[in-house]
Amino acid sequence: MNPESPSVESPSAASRTLAVWALILGILTLVVAVVPFANFGAWLVAIAALVLGIVSLVKRRGGRGMAITGIVLSVLGAILSIVMVLVYSAVFIFSAISSDGDVAPSSTLTATPTAEPTGDGAAGGDGTEESPFALGTPFDVEGMAGGTWTITVDDAEFDAGDAVDNPNDDGVPADEAPQYALLHVTLEYDGSGTSLVPQMELQFGYAGTGETVWGIPSSDITTPAESFATLGSMEPGDSATVDVVIALPQGTQTGGTWAVSTTASDTVLYVG
């Protein structure tokens, strides 16, 4: 009686091994791509599936359909992982911003007039364009991170070109350069944690006869006092006095009011 021959894996099954693994890893790439944090490693799985699939096709090991499917799934999984990383990152950032409290649809406003207002606005003004706060009047607005900003526009210079230095204006004809207004502002922050940088939370502008012109903070511009553009995050209880620059079109006339807003709402308060 002849002894039994040892079992040997069929050549066809052995030749398909690379294609099978390419398919398995391609499917795994799609799964990992949608798992938070794990999707950062989806690219490694995708590369492995891609390499095995290509090698299988080049060496003609069999399982051509599985190899091609594995390659396609690995590419789709890699693209999906990038999309999901962006989505999860956006959700995380939004959650971090709003974690200290819900952002109200409009800022909570309170005002405590100073004993001797220094501006032309009414001491009892309510911050509207028709009845602006007086210069020197502190008022509160809610920030994006849940903290409270107390803002006082201490003084304003409508044409402060001599006090403001913008190197970007070098070589620009005088009649084409902006007309710079300068606000001297005191900021106080009170919240449960560190604020975002003030430039992300607060906006200052000038409301004349046309649309409001909002200042765009630029660290290139030099001001007499510390520039609002370079002010960093503040801790609860911190305060700072800064210069806010607003670039106005040449020939802008006086008679308007200064506008203050937060990026957390559409509410605009007026000082003048």
Side-chain angles (χ1 to χ4, degrees), residues 225-270:
E226 181 178 6
S227 173
F228 174 69
T230 60
L231 185 62
S233 300
M234 297 175 67
E235 299 294 334
D238 284 354
S239 64
T241 299
V242 294
D243 284 342
V244 178
V245 176
I246 303 172
L248 303 173
Q250 275 288 347
T252 301
Q253 301 298 311
T254 59
T257 55
W258 306 106
V260 181
S261 179
T262 71
T263 50
S265 78
D266 295 329
T267 301
V268 179
L269 298 176
Y270 296 92

Side-chain angles (χ1 to χ4, degrees), residues 96-255:
I97 289 175
S98 59
S99 61
D100 290 335
D102 294 333
V103 175
S106 61
S107 298
T108 301
L109 312 176
T110 61
T112 306
T114 55
E116 297 180 3
T118 57
D120 297 329
D126 57 8
T128 62
E129 192 166 7
E130 295 75 20
S131 180
F133 294 132
L135 292 173
T137 301
F139 53 91
D140 296 344
V141 297
E142 298 298 324
M144 291 178 63
T148 300
W149 292 93
T150 299
I151 303 171
T152 307
V153 181
D154 300 304
D155 194 11
E157 298 179 50
F158 188 76
D159 189 355
D162 293 338
V164 173
D165 180 25
N166 185 356
N168 296 318
D169 291 341
D170 292 347
V172 177
D175 58 348
E176 296 180 11
Q179 175 180 319
Y180 292 107
L182 192 63
L183 301 183
H184 307 289
V185 179
T186 299
L187 302 175
E188 299 176 39
Y189 179 73
D190 185 19
S192 59
T194 304
S195 74
L196 300 178
V197 289
Q199 302 86 351
M200 291 182 62
E201 299 212 42
L202 305 174
Q203 293 178 299
F204 297 87
Y206 177 73
T209 56
E211 294 183 358
T212 300
V213 178
W214 295 101
I216 301 176
S218 172
S219 58
D220 293 335
I221 299 177
T222 303
T223 56
E226 181 178 6
S227 173
F228 174 69
T230 60
L231 185 62
S233 300
M234 297 175 67
E235 299 294 334
D238 284 354
S239 64
T241 299
V242 294
D243 284 342
V244 178
V245 176
I246 303 172
L248 303 173
Q250 275 288 347
T252 301
Q253 301 298 311
T254 59

